[in-house]
Amino acid sequence: MAQHVRDVMTTDLVTVEPQTSVTAVAEMMRDEDVGAVLVTDGDQLRGLVTDRDLVVRSVAAGHDPGSTTVIDACSDEMITVGPGDDLEHAVDVMREHSVRRVPVVDQKQHAVGVVSLGDLAIERDPHSALGDISGPVPTPDVPPGQ
């Protein structure tokens, strides 16, 4: 059983620069099939923006998504964990801050992954409702040649 954040985190990161428009980020989320994108300035992590952030902090606030930048839709508070942190610590951080995804940073504060509530659910109980819907989509059994 996994013990550390590095064992369950996603390392296939999707990143954008702070001045990227909300529209471009939403399109990227659609194209990459992700619900969260890291906002980086060079190799420095500036934030994490979710699809919900885009809706609540931009669209619902009446801002023009074509001219509003993603840094304006990010949370002001940067919450991170390290790859060597215990999974329990990641759970505690998510619970304390009421978040579902947390960037994972190395000692230089460079993003190396993201750990999500779904990642933790799959690790702890893959047959739970959250673990089940967070896991990979099963591929149907298709006979060869069809």
Side-chain angles (χ1 to χ4, degrees):
M1 180 175 258
Q3 298 293 319
H4 298 100
V5 170
R6 76 167 77 52
D7 300 326
V8 299
M9 70 183 190
T10 300
T11 57
D12 190 17
L13 304 178
V14 179
T15 64
V16 295
E17 293 287 324
Q19 298 308 313
T20 306
S21 74
V22 165
T23 298
V25 174
E27 291 169 348
M28 181 179 289
M29 287 178 171
R30 177 199 62 208
D31 296 345
E32 299 289 331
D33 194 26
V34 297
V37 173
L38 295 173
V39 180
T40 58
D41 193 356
D43 62 355
Q44 186 66 39
L45 179 65
R46 295 282 307 277
L48 176 119
V49 65
T50 67
D51 45 7
R52 185 177 191 284
D53 292 332
L54 297 183
V55 171
V56 172
R57 294 189 178 136
S58 183
V59 177
H63 300 146
D64 175 13
S67 62
T68 302
T69 61
V70 70
I71 200 68
D72 296 324
C74 284
S75 171
D76 293 337
E77 186 179 6
M78 194 66 212
I79 301 157
T80 62
V81 296
D85 289 347
D86 291 336
L87 290 180
E88 283 303 316
H89 175 68
V91 170
D92 291 344
V93 166
M94 288 178 176
R95 184 177 291 128
E96 178 183 342
H97 296 281
S98 299
V99 295
R100 297 174 185 204
R101 299 172 186 97
V102 178
V104 182
V105 296
D106 63 16
Q107 293 177 349
K108 295 181 180 181
Q109 298 301 302
H110 299 146
V112 295
V114 174
V115 64
S116 72
L117 185 60
D119 296 330
L120 297 170
I122 291 168
E123 176 57 32
R124 289 183 163 200
D125 186 1
H127 302 292
S128 69
L130 183 57
D132 188 44
I133 63 171
S134 298
V137 177
T139 55
D141 294 328
V142 178
Q146 290 194 2

